[in-house]
Amino acid sequence: MEAVRAEQPESMPQDLSEALKEATKEVHSRAENVEFMKNFQKGHVSKEGFKMVMSSLYHVYLALEEELERHKAHPAVAPIYFPEELNRTSALEQDMEFWYGPQWRKEIPYMAAARKYVSRLRELGRARPQLLLAHSYTRYLGDLSGGQILKKIAQKSLGLPSTGEGLAFFNFPAIPNATTFKQLYRSRMNTIEMSPATKEKVVEEAQTAFLLNIEMFEKLQELLSKNQENKNLSGQQELRKRTGGKAQGPASTETAPQRSLLSYSPLLRWILTLSIMAIVAVGFYAM
């Protein structure tokens, strides 16, 4: 493994943007094929799931943007620091208030997978701020690309107003042309001077960023599936309560006639006996 890593910088594209694109192709595909994202792309997104993913992103962006702000003068951060154009925290705060109400700071969940993601960003801010570049590249350029498609899906699936409430995260009012801005971002990134070893670390960190996103969405899907199972179970229990537990299945209906024979009154049994005797008598008479 070490030998492969030693050769990797020499085989990488010279431009950092191309190196990141090539190195993250596989993990990018994995991220797009996580069950939660596949369902989302098909329009199968619930209000509960959307709220949870947006609250997770709030925690992630708050940490990322605080660390980028803290290290905005760092040689590996300064060229790609575009707070006015890219920062998402303020937009996510608007969305949190829309989804959770004025007391949203007390209401929003904080999943363990999101905590893990945030912990990684804080760790880089303390010890290796140059690697924040990988997370900035992964998150913001993704938001400017596929994020716009997800916005339209969410708006339609959740019946959200066309005026954009609840979807501020997806709006970049300071970026009139996403394609042009992404070209600018990549060109700025390619001007950053770094050693081959640092470049390799940045590429590895971009892969880590995708893996953290994948884990966050997988855990979210697990939680949603578990909640649905609990709702189904609760619904079944409620149905049994309403019916009073009377439904006993097919076996009870099969034995019902047998029980009814045993419950005949003495008068009915006497009449039945006379009827049988009459039939027998007629039979003998016919013979």
Side-chain angles (χ1 to χ4, degrees):
M1 181 63 71
E2 293 301 323
V4 172
R5 288 187 175 181
E7 295 173 1
Q8 193 172 347
E10 296 180 2
S11 61
M12 280 186 185
Q14 185 173 358
D15 288 342
L16 179 58
S17 62
E18 287 300 314
L20 287 168
K21 183 178 179 180
E22 288 296 320
T24 58
K25 276 184 178 179
E26 181 181 352
V27 72
H28 191 172
S29 177
R30 285 177 55 190
E32 291 178 337
N33 285 283
V34 171
E35 183 179 358
F36 179 85
M37 293 308 299
K38 287 172 69 176
N39 290 338
F40 200 137
Q41 292 167 27
K42 294 176 183 177
H44 302 158
V45 55
S46 66
K47 180 180 177 181
E48 178 189 15
F50 189 74
K51 288 171 63 176
M52 291 178 69
V53 72
M54 297 306 285
S55 62
S56 294
L57 290 176
Y58 167 75
H59 293 298
V60 169
Y61 276 99
L62 179 63
L64 175 60
E65 289 170 2
E66 285 181 349
E67 296 303 335
L68 289 173
E69 168 67 22
R70 189 172 292 118
H71 298 285
K72 61 185 179 182
H74 191 284
V77 174
I80 50 88
Y81 185 61
F82 294 95
E84 181 179 349
E85 292 85 354
L86 293 176
N87 277 13
R88 299 290 84 203
T89 301
S90 178
L92 282 163
E93 288 175 348
Q94 295 178 44
D95 290 338
M96 292 301 96
E97 184 167 359
F98 175 85
W99 291 110
Y100 292 95
Q103 300 298 317
W104 64 269
R105 294 183 189 275
K106 299 178 182 179
E107 299 292 333
I108 62 172
Y110 195 179
M111 294 170 49
R115 290 181 185 274
K116 181 177 178 180
Y117 199 156
V118 168
S119 178
R120 180 61 177 178
L121 293 169
R122 298 300 190 189
E123 176 190 345
L124 297 181
R126 287 191 300 269
R128 293 173 287 176
Q130 67 274 18
L131 300 188
L132 291 169
L133 163 64
H135 291 271
S136 175
Y137 163 85
T138 300
R139 285 256 37 114
Y140 290 126
L141 267 62
D143 297 334
L144 287 169
S145 301
Q148 300 310 298
I149 298 173
L150 297 179
K151 173 188 174 182
K152 294 178 181 178
I153 294 173
Q155 194 166 39
K156 181 178 180 180
S157 300
L158 300 174
L160 295 173
S162 58
T163 46
E165 285 89 340
L167 297 168
F169 169 76
F170 298 100
N171 297 326
F172 292 82
I175 301 178
N177 187 302
T179 301
T180 301
F181 183 84
K182 287 188 289 185
Q183 291 172 347
L184 171 64
Y185 188 98
R186 292 189 181 98
S187 65
R188 289 281 195 91
M189 190 164 56
N190 292 335
T191 66
I192 299 173
E193 295 184 5
M194 59 181 62
S195 66
T198 300
K199 185 177 181 181
E200 181 183 5
K201 291 295 183 184
V202 170
V203 168
E204 290 176 356
E205 191 62 31
Q207 294 171 331
T208 297
F210 272 105
L211 292 174
L212 288 168
N213 277 281
I214 289 171
E215 182 176 358
M216 192 165 65
F217 288 125
E218 286 178 339
K219 296 300 182 182
L220 174 59
Q221 183 61 48
E222 288 177 13
L223 184 59
L224 290 173
S225 297
K226 186 177 295 184
N227 288 348
Q228 186 60 50
E229 289 175 5
N230 291 338
K231 287 180 181 178
N232 292 341
L233 180 60
S234 177
Q236 292 172 5
Q237 292 173 342
E238 182 63 25
L239 180 61
R240 283 196 290 269
K241 288 180 181 178
R242 290 180 181 178
T243 58
K246 294 180 181 179
Q248 301 295 327
S252 61
T253 60
E254 291 175 3
T255 57
Q258 298 175 6
R259 289 199 301 270
S260 64
L261 286 173
L262 297 175
S263 63
Y264 284 145
S265 66
L267 176 61
L268 185 58
R269 287 201 299 270
W270 182 73
I271 294 172
L272 182 60
T273 301
L274 289 178
S275 299
I276 294 172
M277 291 175 65
I279 293 171
V280 171
V282 171
F284 276 115
Y285 181 78
M287 292 174 67

